[in-house]
Every structure is written in structure tokens, then in C-alpha cells.
Amino acid sequence: MTNHWNDLQYADALMVIGANPAENHPISFRWISKAIEKGGKLISVDPRYTRTSQMANVYAQLRSGTDIAFIGGMINYVLENELYHKEYVVNYTNAANIVADSFDFEDGMFSGYDEKTRKYDKTQWGFKKDAEENVLKDPTLQDPRCVFQLLKKHYSRYDIDTVCGVTGTDKETYLEICKTYGATGEVGKAGTILYAMGGTQHTTGSQNIRIYAILQLLLGNIGIAGGGVNALRGESNVQGSTDFGLLYHNVPGYMEVPTTSEGDRTYKGFLERITPKTGYKTNFPKFYTSMLKSFYGDNATAENEFGYHYLPKIDDGKNYSFMRLFDAMYRKELEGLIMFGSNPVVGGPNSFKSQAAMSNLKWMVAVDLFETETSAFWQKEAGGDPSKIQTEVIFLPACASFEKEGSVTNSGRWMQYRWQAIKPKGEAKADLEIVHILARRLKEMYKNESTPAAKQINALYWAYGDHDHPDIDLVCRDINGYDWKTKQQIKTFGDLKDDGSTTAGCWIYTGFYPENENLAKRRDNTNEGMSNFLNWSFAWPANRRNLYNRASADLNGKPWSKDRVGIYWDAAQGKWVGNDVPDFVKDRGPDDPAFNSPFIMQTDGKGALFAMMNEGPFPEHYEPFENPMDNSFSSIQLNPAVQFGEKAMNAQGDFSKYPIIATTYRLSEHWQSGVMTRNVPWLAELVNNMFVEISEELAKEKGIKEKDKIIVSSARGEIEAYAMITKRFKPYKLKDKTVHHIGMPWHFGYKGIATGATANRLTPHIGDPNSHIPEYKAFLCDVRRA
Ligand SMILES: Nc1nc2c(c(=O)[nH]1)N[C@H]1C(S)=C(S)[C@@H](COP(=O)(O)OP(=O)(O)OC[C@H]3O[C@@H](n4cnc5c(=O)[nH]c(N)nc54)[C@H](O)[C@@H]3O)O[C@H]1N2
Ligand SMILES: Nc1nc2c(c(=O)[nH]1)N[C@H]1C(S)=C(S)[C@@H](COP(=O)(O)OP(=O)(O)OC[C@H]3O[C@@H](n4cnc5c(=O)[nH]c(N)nc54)[C@H](O)[C@@H]3O)O[C@H]1N2
Ligand SMILES: [Mo]
């Protein structure tokens, strides 16, 4: 989230698109209800009428996989009707930048495409510069080659008829949403966009989110209370784990993992590549070196490039995302797999094939609360042949969240401490303990060896206590960082150094543990202004609650709205003050040329209407991998930057054979792959079987009655489930045809108390070219009575 949960109450309009918080974030939904009580308008955009839709003032149906068309049309409406926040757009975004002549767009394709690699040469999309390397600008926004005019031209193609012919939305409802949400462009008004997996799980997932951000920048909705682009995050600590480098291409604090490329051979070369010349990221060398110092302690010196060479490097050009790992297993390139709390046989795409891929492993370690469909993938019940599967599975029992202490970071970036509630049962251990014990055993095993692998392990500092139970306080201090000599805790990441004199395990969290207080444990719920609760927990970065809050004030540093005071420039004191920690240099005043550059993580400080994504600087509608119609906007069907993985893993279905659109989603009563909830008797009883929601119209066509057993088939396989006939889905009237749309939960598997078919037997093994998330939310199928 750019903002945070409590902040939602300040919105005049809340557009929930690609999420269903009433069901999946029901407690936090309180803040949405509060906004509605204050007169805020809730808009729900979803292929089916959800529990969130039920709470909404306006509900619009959209076919799965058409968010870019939907929002593209809204952008067109906002620009045509001049609803955008002009002063904000001119000064705080890159709207005025003149784009290089090499940039072009025609029939769904941007310039610079290489068909062989399915990649773009992004250097063709840069900005025009003068002899001194300054970007040329037209603050009047009239130049036909400025970002604003190119954006306008791009989305002028997204007229209401074409859009609704693609999304299947009723035109009147669509116009109502354009008006209601567009009205937040007025100075002083606020609109927020809430999204989750309905937006991301697509071959255009990243650009879906980008287009929400573009709309928000145009309306001046970023940086202000009640605004923002807000990701409603998933697993209780998915925010924390991504912050700490969970993703294969990140180290803690969203910095890059080095590669085997020529430039990365030296630490200096690597830093040069990842450090821009301007903007806040110019500090990356300080954060990176402090991280290496934290990893390697005295073994990180200026002479050995701070231990940079101990870090594993990604094979240049290779991708280690979830789907590509399964491809590698399929090709027998991987011998072993360690899984901490993960059940891909239920949760991964095209899961039957993934299961087959796993049987190529020599060994697998499952760290979990239960034996899952995945750790038992070799059993007969799983559809395998145990006599043929040679994988050795090792199970390590893990503690549940209540049985251990530590912090969890919520969607609003608040790091909150949880104390242990009960002692673990049996041999179960906390994940932290398991990793700690593993590290200690490896260090013991390798201590007399000097192989490259041993060198890395031996170099690890790993000072979390001299026994098998790690001292969590030492872990916290290590994350925060300290002065290497004096061992004094660092107060802010502004104090980190690039000379090896400081440590920081994860720079964005530096400051949560100053000398004597772990701020994640703070529980002072005094509201000192705008419900930012600055003394409750710790929010990264720097305890800042709303990101980019400099943009909540105008060109003189005065709040755009007196009801939504974020921070403001206090001329008498010569600094930024207000209800939040300033997301800006505190004493940068009106005489500083960068005074009106709020987006400090960008090299130019401006919000990026035009950005270097893998498939182009402006989001463009492409159809899902499996789709019911020809693309109405161009002759290009699929996102041209999508990478195809292992072919054998990914059969593609055709509309002629699979004429029904399908999507997958969650229920309040179950959690994820269902391992935890399907093993809890009362939850298993509430929703005890796999079902598929189908419209009354489709049921009639197929002669299906409520609770009939039906078979859903896709190009990947078939599943059997009960039919739930519902008004929540309606047939879609698209440009030239009417198409049925169904939906189903993905929580079931064959283990536990409540069992049922796994939806992911049907889903395609393909995804977004930026994030590599699978396209779980839009695919084709057929339905028949069992
Ligand atoms: N009770 C419960 N709560 C949970 C979870 C759980 O399993 N159970 N899981 C947690 C996790 S890990 C996550 S990531 C979050 C996910 O939270 P959500 O993203 O809210 O979860 P979903 O229900 O998968 O998807 C949301 C909605 O997207 C809609 N949708 C499908 N296709 C499209 C599309 O193309 N465009 C748009 N705009 N919408 C579409 C679906 O109909 C669905 O209503 O929930 C978290 N909360
Ligand atoms: N079709 C379809 N598929 C999807 C999605 C979708 O919307 N549609 N959503 C995707 C999303 S957003 C997500 S996040 C993934 C989730 O996919 P997974 O992460 O594979 O699914 P979970 O059920 O969350 O797996 C969690 C496992 O962790 C165990 N566990 C719980 N607590 C702990 C603990 O403290 N320590 C350890 N070691 N284990 C623990 C549980 O028992 C369980 O077996 O699924 C994805 N799959
Ligand atoms: Mo998730």
C-alpha cells in the first residue's frame, strides 16, 4: 500500500478492482465501511457480484482479463472531460517530458521489439535531451511529442463502445463509474484504488497495476490521505517477506541480486549498474555495503569488496521465478527442493504437470504444520505411482504463528510484533529456529573445508547466539543495523555508510530498533492526526505512513485540502511538518529547484505516467493467453513480452473447444491451499466441498441443476465438482458474441477433513513478463454434467 488501512476512511471514492476485501480482508474492511459511513462511494469492479459488490454503491461487471481496457477508457474519459488535476500533473508527473523520436506505437506494438527474444529495446523509449543532458519539457502540455499528448492519443482509442464491447460492462454503469471516480480529480478530493490478485494474476498483471497508478496520478490522488494505489496483501506476512528479499531477484530492501554478466564481475561495476545518478536510490551503495557487512561481519572488508563475491549470482538472462523452477524440475535440472510453508500441488498453476515435474527431484524437504498434497505428492491418492517415484521426502514439523514470536508486516507496511501465545507441540520448531540450526550445522560441517561453497558458509557472520535457539533480539538488532565498531544501533538509514563501518540487514527497516526500544512493539494508540498513529508499531520507511506525502501539498507546500493535511512547508521553522513523517528532504524549501519533485525514488522526482515496463511505457490491452475474442484494439492477441516456458508444461486451449471463461478466487471460510482450514473441523464443516459457480443461463443451457456433479475441463485437465447455480455470474455481451463466465475457489485438495478437486489442475502455466505471476484469473474451459 502507498497508504495504510486506517487511511482508507478519508476517501471520497474507493474503487475496488481485482479484489474482494469483504471476503478476503474482512476485518480491515471496517475502514472501507467507515469511509462509506462518511459519505464515500464504494465502487466494485469484478467479473462476479461479490460480497464486496454487495456493500458497494456501484457494481460493474467486467470480463476476466480486461482491466486495462476498463481503466484505459476511464483515462480517456478523464482527459476528454478535463477532470484531471492539472497543476499536479504538470508539476509532479513526467507529463511535460518530450519523448525521443525513436519512440513509436502502431497496431498494438511499441518500437524496439525483437521477435526472437520477445523483448523490447527500451532505450528507444527515452526522453529527448539537450546538449547538457537535460530532458526537454513542455509545461503547457501542448507539444504532440510530450508524454501527456502521447498518453492522450494512446487512450483516445479506448472509447466507451469499444471498451464495453471488450469488458462486457453495461455502458450506463460504466459511465456512472467514470463520473463518480473522475470527480476525485477535483482539487481537495480523494479517491483510492484497492487491488489484489484479480489485478495481478494475468499475462498483463503488472500493467494492470501500472494503469491504476496512471489514473491516480492524473487525478492527483497519490500522496494524499484517502488516496493511493493500495495492494491488499495476502498471507499474513507476505509484505514482510518480500521486504526481506523473498523474490529471487531481490536482496532485502528491494535491491538487485547480482548476475553473472560482465559488468557485475566487480562490486564496483555492479553498484554502478544498480545506482542511478539522481534520486534517492543514489544511496544504494550505502545500503548494499551495510547489508554485506551484516551478512559477513569481519569477513567483509574493503579489500574483498565487502564479501560481494560470496553472494550467489543469477545466471545472466535466466529467470528463477516459481514457474521457471518447475520447468527446471521438469527438465531434471534441479536435484532438490526445500519448501517452507508452501503447497504448490494445490496452489501452483497446471498443478498435475507440476506434480509430475516434482517426481524428477532426488529429494524434497517440506517444512510445514501438516503433511500436504505436496509433501505427499508421491502417494497413490495423489494420482502418482509410488513404485516409480524415487524422490526422498523429508518432513520438518513447523510451529504455527501462535507458537512463536516475531514480527509480521501488514499491507500498510506496519511492522507489528507478535508474542508467543502457546508453547509448540511435539518436535515442532519455529522457521527461524530451523534456519538457524541449519546454518549452524552447515558451518560446523564446512569449517575445515575451503571449497567455494564452504567459503561462503564459513564467511557468514551469523551471530544470533551460541545455541540452537536463536536470540530474536539479536536478529532484530541485525535487521536494524548498528555501528560496527561501537555496536551502537543506527537511528535512521540516512546514517548508513558505504565504507563498511555500519551494518543493516534490511535498510528499509533501519530505525525500527534504536538503542533501547523495539518500535515494532509500540502500542500507543493516540491519534495525533489523520489516523496515522505514529506511535503504534513502526512503518517502513522511517515510520512514514503515507508514501509520497510531499504530493499532499501544493506548489507552495500548502495542503491541497484542509481536511486532508499530510505534511506542509512551515516557512518560519524552515522545514516540512504535519501529521506524518515527511517523505521528502525535511529542510528542502521553495528556493530549492527540487521542491516540487515528490516522487523521490524516481531519478527525476516525478510520477511516471511514462515508465519502462517490459511490454511498453503505456499499458495496452492484450487478450489473456486463452481468450474468447479477437483483440478489439489491435491485431496483437497476447502481450508481446510474455515469455513461454517449458512447452510441455503448458497446453493452450482454443475457444472453439473451450468456449467458457473461467476464473478462480477465495472464500472467507478457507485459507489458501486449504491445508490449515481443511484440517479444522468447524471450518471444514462450513464449506465442505469443491463447487463451481455457474450462471442460471448456463445451467439452463447445459441442463445442470443445483448440486449436480459437473465436470470442468480445460486444455490441462478436468475436475469434478458440485454445481452452484447463482445470479452472481451473468453471461457477457461482448462485441460480437455472448459468452459464459464461471468461477471457482482454489482451496481444495485430497487431504484433510474437507476434500475436493483442485482448481489448479485447470489453470495455465504462463504469466506476466515483469513479475512472472501465473495467469490464474482468466482461462478457457468447458462444463458438462458428470
Ligand atoms: N479468507 C481468506 N482470506 C484471504 C486468503 C484466503 O485464502 N482466504 N488469501 C490471502 C491472500 S494470500 C491473498 S493474495 C489475498 C487475495 O485477495 P483477493 O485478490 O481479494 O482474492 P481473490 O478472491 O483471489 O480475487 C479477488 C477477486 O478478483 C476477481 N477477478 C477475477 N478476475 C478478475 C479480473 O480480470 N479483473 C478484476 N478486476 N477482477 C478479477 C475475482 O472474481 C475475485 O472476486 O487474500 C488474502 N486473504
Ligand atoms: N488458482 C489460483 N491459484 C492460486 C491463487 C489464486 O488466486 N488462484 N493465489 C496464489 C497466491 S496469491 C498465493 S499467496 C499462493 C499460496 O500458495 P501456498 O503458499 O503454496 O499455499 P498456502 O496454503 O498458503 O501454503 C501454506 C502452507 O504453509 C503452512 N504453514 C502455515 N503456517 C506456517 C508456518 O508458520 N511455518 C511453516 N513452515 N509453514 C506454515 C500451511 O500448513 C500450508 O501447508 O497460491 C497461489 N495460487
Ligand atoms: Mo497471496
Side-chain angles (χ1 to χ4, degrees), residues 406-410 413-419 509 519-523 536-538:
S407 73
V408 168
T409 303
N410 75 6
R413 295 166 283 102
W414 294 17
M415 182 198 213
Q416 304 183 97
Y417 211 80
R418 286 176 171 181
W419 287 262
Y509 283 88
L519 301 184
K521 293 183 177 174
R522 285 191 298 190
R523 291 295 179 273
W536 178 285
S537 76
F538 171 87

Side-chain angles (χ1 to χ4, degrees), residues 661-703:
I661 306 163
T663 194
T664 58
Y665 43 78
R666 298 162 162 76
L667 309 168
S668 285
E669 294 82 353
H670 280 295
W671 185 256
Q672 302 285 80
S673 72
V675 175
M676 294 194 284
T677 47
R678 286 187 283 108
N679 277 302
V680 173
W682 51 93
L683 290 173
E685 197 174 329
L686 279 173
V687 178
N688 51 20
N689 251 303
M690 176 63 181
F691 61 88
V692 177
E693 290 191 64
I694 64 175
S695 68
E696 291 170 341
E697 292 83 354
L698 178 60
K700 205 164 152 204
E701 237 175 65
K702 299 271 181 184

Side-chain angles (χ1 to χ4, degrees), residues 26 46 88 145 211 226 277 282 299 304 322 373 405 473 485 613 618 669 672 729:
D46 200 294
Y88 187 107
R145 293 293 295 177
I211 201 165
K277 301 232 160 19
T282 48
N299 296 319
N304 75 355
F322 184 92
E373 285 80 0
E405 69 173 323
D473 190 58
K485 268 218 185 85
M613 303 288 284
F618 296 131
E669 294 82 353
Q672 302 285 80
F729 275 107

Side-chain angles (χ1 to χ4, degrees), residues 19-284:
N20 179 15
E23 186 126 23
N24 301 322
H25 301 85
I27 307 299
S28 314
F29 196 87
R30 220 190 100 132
W31 300 107
I32 300 175
S33 302
K34 202 156 180 177
I36 300 171
E37 281 161 24
K38 292 180 176 181
K41 296 276 176 283
L42 177 64
I43 299 164
S44 158
V45 185
D46 200 294
R48 88 199 142 112
Y49 187 82
T50 66
R51 284 172 170 169
T52 302
S53 316
Q54 196 184 352
M55 305 295 290
N57 303 82
V58 196
Y59 163 68
Q61 184 188 27
L62 97 163
R63 165 170 69 98
S64 278
T66 62
D67 291 61
I68 291 175
F70 194 94
I71 305 285
M74 287 180 74
I75 290 176
N76 188 25
Y77 183 90
V78 161
L79 294 175
E80 283 296 311
N81 294 286
E82 305 206 8
L83 299 175
Y84 59 98
H85 186 162
K86 189 140 191 231
E87 230 178 324
Y88 187 107
V89 170
V90 174
N91 295 288
Y92 294 172
T93 77
N94 62 15
N97 290 15
I98 309 290
V99 175
D101 292 334
S102 49
F103 168 81
D104 195 13
F105 175 79
E106 215 194 314
D107 186 28
M109 299 298 292
F110 296 88
S111 47
Y113 188 64
D114 175 11
E115 231 163 288
K116 253 222 215 92
T117 56
R118 295 182 64 82
K119 283 183 178 157
Y120 279 103
D121 169 12
K122 298 183 195 174
T123 59
Q124 299 212 11
W125 311 334
F127 298 125
K128 234 185 186 160
K129 292 179 180 163
D130 65 14
E132 274 85 53
E133 287 288 294
N134 297 311
V135 172
L136 299 180
K137 296 187 184 211
D138 174 20
T140 69
L141 306 185
Q142 295 305 312
D143 190 307
R145 293 293 295 177
C146 77
V147 166
F148 184 80
Q149 289 299 334
L150 289 172
L151 181 85
K152 197 166 169 183
K153 186 172 155 205
H154 191 87
Y155 292 109
S156 65
R157 300 151 53 237
Y158 288 64
D159 60 279
I160 290 182
D161 285 314
T162 312
V163 166
C164 292
V166 168
T167 62
T169 312
D170 157 68
K171 268 202 269 184
E172 238 168 75
T173 314
Y174 186 68
L175 264 174
E176 191 185 346
I177 292 178
C178 290
K179 278 196 193 120
T180 309
Y181 201 76
T184 65
E186 195 183 311
V187 179
K189 297 266 184 238
T192 179
I193 293 185
L194 311 179
Y195 76 92
M197 295 303 119
T200 55
Q201 292 172 342
H202 295 281
T203 42
T204 52
S206 301
Q207 291 284 36
N208 283 349
I209 314 313
R210 263 276 298 153
I211 201 165
Y212 306 157
I214 292 176
L215 179 63
Q216 289 296 70
L217 284 172
L218 289 173
L219 296 170
N221 276 337
I222 295 192
I224 61 173
V229 177
N230 291 307
L232 312 184
R233 307 234 39 187
E235 306 260 14
S236 68
N237 201 26
V238 69
Q239 180 67 54
S241 40
T242 37
D243 296 345
F244 281 86
L246 170 88
L247 300 172
Y248 74 92
H249 60 304
N250 280 168
V251 296
Y254 301 98
M255 296 184 292
E256 272 183 55
V257 172
T259 69
T260 53
S261 67
E262 196 51 42
D264 288 5
R265 286 278 163 91
T266 62
Y267 185 40
K268 191 164 161 267
F270 167 70
L271 286 180
E272 258 162 33
R273 181 171 72 76
I274 67 158
T275 313
K277 301 232 160 19
T278 51
Y280 201 77
K281 289 182 181 169
T282 48
N283 291 306
F284 269 6

Side-chain angles (χ1 to χ4, degrees), residues 280 283 286-287 290 480-484 488-499 501-504 507 510-511:
Y280 201 77
N283 291 306
K286 298 174 192 164
F287 307 152
S290 297
N480 180 83
Y482 50 88
D483 182 290
W484 184 250
Q488 289 280 306
Q489 299 293 105
I490 305 281
K491 288 200 190 71
T492 136
F493 46 73
D495 293 340
L496 295 175
K497 304 263 164 44
D498 62 3
D499 59 3
S501 61
T502 58
T503 77
W507 72 274
T510 299

Side-chain angles (χ1 to χ4, degrees), residues 197-198 200-201 234-235 238 322 339-349 366-372 374 396-401 404 429-431 434 663-666 671-676 679 744-746 759-760 763 773-774 776-777 779:
M197 295 303 119
T200 55
Q201 292 172 342
E235 306 260 14
V238 69
F322 184 92
M339 291 184 305
F340 280 91
S342 170
N343 186 16
V345 167
V346 175
V367 186
D368 208 295
L369 315 184
F370 295 95
E371 183 179 59
T372 67
T374 302
L396 300 179
C399 293
S401 54
K404 58 193 175 191
K429 290 200 177 349
D431 295 282
I434 294 173
T663 194
T664 58
Y665 43 78
R666 298 162 162 76
W671 185 256
Q672 302 285 80
S673 72
V675 175
M676 294 194 284
N679 277 302
M744 64 197 94
W746 64 278
N760 275 322
T763 51
I773 196 169
Y776 290 119
K777 286 285 188 273
F779 56 95

